[in-house]
Short mmCIF file of all heavy atoms in Angstrom, two decimals:
data_model
loop_
_atom_site.label_atom_id
_atom_site.label_comp_id
_atom_site.label_asym_id
_atom_site.label_seq_id
_atom_site.Cartn_x
_atom_site.Cartn_y
_atom_site.Cartn_z
N GLY A 235 -32.33 22.13 -28.49
CA GLY A 235 -33.71 22.11 -29.00
C GLY A 235 -33.86 21.54 -30.41
O GLY A 235 -34.93 21.61 -30.99
N SER A 236 -32.79 20.95 -30.95
CA SER A 236 -32.90 20.40 -32.32
C SER A 236 -33.32 18.96 -32.37
O SER A 236 -33.45 18.38 -33.44
CB SER A 236 -31.56 20.61 -33.05
OG SER A 236 -30.51 19.92 -32.39
N GLY A 237 -33.47 18.30 -31.24
CA GLY A 237 -34.04 16.96 -31.20
C GLY A 237 -33.06 15.86 -31.03
O GLY A 237 -33.32 14.70 -31.43
N LYS A 238 -31.91 16.12 -30.37
CA LYS A 238 -30.97 15.01 -30.14
C LYS A 238 -31.59 13.95 -29.27
O LYS A 238 -31.44 12.73 -29.54
CB LYS A 238 -29.71 15.57 -29.46
CG LYS A 238 -28.83 16.42 -30.30
CD LYS A 238 -27.49 16.75 -29.65
CE LYS A 238 -27.67 17.66 -28.45
NZ LYS A 238 -28.13 19.02 -28.83
N THR A 239 -32.32 14.36 -28.26
CA THR A 239 -32.94 13.39 -27.32
C THR A 239 -33.99 12.55 -28.03
O THR A 239 -34.12 11.37 -27.76
CB THR A 239 -33.54 14.14 -26.13
OG1 THR A 239 -32.54 14.96 -25.51
CG2 THR A 239 -34.06 13.15 -25.09
N VAL A 240 -34.75 13.19 -28.95
CA VAL A 240 -35.77 12.46 -29.73
C VAL A 240 -35.09 11.34 -30.52
O VAL A 240 -35.55 10.19 -30.51
CB VAL A 240 -36.52 13.41 -30.67
CG1 VAL A 240 -37.45 12.63 -31.59
CG2 VAL A 240 -37.32 14.44 -29.87
N VAL A 241 -34.02 11.68 -31.23
CA VAL A 241 -33.32 10.67 -32.03
C VAL A 241 -32.79 9.54 -31.14
O VAL A 241 -32.93 8.36 -31.44
CB VAL A 241 -32.14 11.31 -32.81
CG1 VAL A 241 -31.29 10.27 -33.49
CG2 VAL A 241 -32.69 12.31 -33.83
N GLN A 242 -32.18 9.91 -30.00
CA GLN A 242 -31.60 8.90 -29.08
C GLN A 242 -32.68 8.00 -28.54
O GLN A 242 -32.48 6.77 -28.46
CB GLN A 242 -30.83 9.59 -27.96
CG GLN A 242 -29.57 10.27 -28.45
CD GLN A 242 -28.99 11.20 -27.44
OE1 GLN A 242 -29.70 11.64 -26.50
NE2 GLN A 242 -27.75 11.54 -27.57
N HIS A 243 -33.81 8.55 -28.13
CA HIS A 243 -34.87 7.72 -27.57
C HIS A 243 -35.43 6.77 -28.64
O HIS A 243 -35.71 5.57 -28.29
CB HIS A 243 -35.98 8.63 -27.04
CG HIS A 243 -35.71 9.16 -25.69
ND1 HIS A 243 -36.66 9.51 -24.78
CD2 HIS A 243 -34.55 9.47 -25.08
CE1 HIS A 243 -36.12 9.97 -23.67
NE2 HIS A 243 -34.82 9.98 -23.84
N GLN A 244 -35.58 7.25 -29.87
CA GLN A 244 -36.12 6.41 -30.92
C GLN A 244 -35.14 5.26 -31.22
O GLN A 244 -35.56 4.12 -31.44
CB GLN A 244 -36.42 7.24 -32.16
CG GLN A 244 -37.64 8.15 -32.04
CD GLN A 244 -38.92 7.38 -31.92
OE1 GLN A 244 -39.36 7.03 -30.82
NE2 GLN A 244 -39.55 7.05 -33.04
N ILE A 245 -33.87 5.58 -31.26
CA ILE A 245 -32.86 4.52 -31.54
C ILE A 245 -32.86 3.52 -30.38
O ILE A 245 -32.83 2.29 -30.62
CB ILE A 245 -31.48 5.16 -31.73
CG1 ILE A 245 -31.42 5.92 -33.04
CG2 ILE A 245 -30.38 4.09 -31.68
CD1 ILE A 245 -30.16 6.70 -33.25
N ALA A 246 -32.89 4.01 -29.13
CA ALA A 246 -32.88 3.09 -27.98
C ALA A 246 -34.10 2.17 -28.02
O ALA A 246 -34.02 1.00 -27.70
CB ALA A 246 -32.87 3.89 -26.69
N LYS A 247 -35.27 2.72 -28.42
CA LYS A 247 -36.49 1.94 -28.37
C LYS A 247 -36.65 0.97 -29.51
O LYS A 247 -37.03 -0.18 -29.36
CB LYS A 247 -37.71 2.87 -28.31
CG LYS A 247 -39.04 2.16 -28.25
CD LYS A 247 -40.18 3.12 -28.09
CE LYS A 247 -41.53 2.40 -27.98
NZ LYS A 247 -42.68 3.32 -27.84
N TRP A 248 -36.32 1.44 -30.76
CA TRP A 248 -36.67 0.70 -31.93
C TRP A 248 -35.52 -0.05 -32.60
O TRP A 248 -35.77 -0.93 -33.42
CB TRP A 248 -37.30 1.62 -32.98
CG TRP A 248 -38.63 2.19 -32.55
CD1 TRP A 248 -38.90 3.49 -32.19
CD2 TRP A 248 -39.86 1.48 -32.42
NE1 TRP A 248 -40.21 3.63 -31.88
CE2 TRP A 248 -40.83 2.42 -31.99
CE3 TRP A 248 -40.22 0.17 -32.62
CZ2 TRP A 248 -42.16 2.05 -31.78
CZ3 TRP A 248 -41.56 -0.19 -32.41
CH2 TRP A 248 -42.52 0.74 -32.00
N SER A 249 -34.28 0.31 -32.34
CA SER A 249 -33.19 -0.35 -33.08
C SER A 249 -33.11 -1.84 -32.72
O SER A 249 -33.49 -2.25 -31.62
CB SER A 249 -31.86 0.34 -32.80
OG SER A 249 -31.53 0.27 -31.46
N ASP A 250 -32.57 -2.63 -33.65
CA ASP A 250 -32.56 -4.07 -33.46
C ASP A 250 -31.33 -4.54 -32.64
O ASP A 250 -30.72 -5.55 -32.97
CB ASP A 250 -32.60 -4.79 -34.79
CG ASP A 250 -31.40 -4.46 -35.67
OD1 ASP A 250 -30.68 -3.49 -35.38
OD2 ASP A 250 -31.17 -5.19 -36.68
N VAL A 251 -31.00 -3.79 -31.58
CA VAL A 251 -29.90 -4.21 -30.70
C VAL A 251 -30.50 -4.96 -29.52
O VAL A 251 -31.70 -4.82 -29.21
CB VAL A 251 -29.08 -3.00 -30.18
CG1 VAL A 251 -28.36 -2.32 -31.36
CG2 VAL A 251 -29.95 -1.99 -29.46
N ASP A 252 -29.70 -5.77 -28.89
CA ASP A 252 -30.15 -6.57 -27.75
C ASP A 252 -30.06 -5.79 -26.42
O ASP A 252 -30.88 -5.98 -25.54
CB ASP A 252 -29.32 -7.84 -27.64
CG ASP A 252 -29.37 -8.68 -28.91
OD1 ASP A 252 -30.48 -9.03 -29.34
OD2 ASP A 252 -28.30 -8.95 -29.49
N ILE A 253 -29.00 -4.94 -26.32
CA ILE A 253 -28.76 -4.20 -25.07
C ILE A 253 -28.55 -2.74 -25.40
O ILE A 253 -27.90 -2.41 -26.39
CB ILE A 253 -27.51 -4.74 -24.34
CG1 ILE A 253 -27.56 -6.28 -24.19
CG2 ILE A 253 -27.28 -4.06 -23.01
CD1 ILE A 253 -28.54 -6.76 -23.17
N VAL A 254 -29.06 -1.84 -24.56
CA VAL A 254 -28.82 -0.41 -24.69
C VAL A 254 -28.07 0.09 -23.45
O VAL A 254 -28.51 -0.18 -22.30
CB VAL A 254 -30.14 0.38 -24.84
CG1 VAL A 254 -29.87 1.86 -24.86
CG2 VAL A 254 -30.90 -0.07 -26.09
N VAL A 255 -26.95 0.76 -23.66
CA VAL A 255 -26.21 1.38 -22.55
C VAL A 255 -26.31 2.87 -22.81
O VAL A 255 -25.70 3.38 -23.75
CB VAL A 255 -24.74 0.95 -22.48
CG1 VAL A 255 -24.02 1.62 -21.32
CG2 VAL A 255 -24.65 -0.59 -22.30
N TYR A 256 -27.04 3.60 -21.95
CA TYR A 256 -27.25 5.03 -22.14
C TYR A 256 -26.38 5.77 -21.14
O TYR A 256 -26.52 5.60 -19.93
CB TYR A 256 -28.74 5.40 -21.93
CG TYR A 256 -29.06 6.83 -22.28
CD1 TYR A 256 -29.60 7.17 -23.51
CD2 TYR A 256 -28.85 7.88 -21.37
CE1 TYR A 256 -29.91 8.48 -23.84
CE2 TYR A 256 -29.16 9.16 -21.69
CZ TYR A 256 -29.69 9.48 -22.91
OH TYR A 256 -29.95 10.78 -23.21
#
Side-chain angles (χ1 to χ4, degrees):
S236 60
K238 289 189 292 293
T239 306
V240 173
V241 172
Q242 291 166 340
H243 280 208
Q244 288 294 89
I245 289 173
K247 181 175 181 179
W248 293 110
S249 62
D250 62 344
V251 295
D252 303 304
I253 309 288
V254 176
V255 180
Y256 188 97

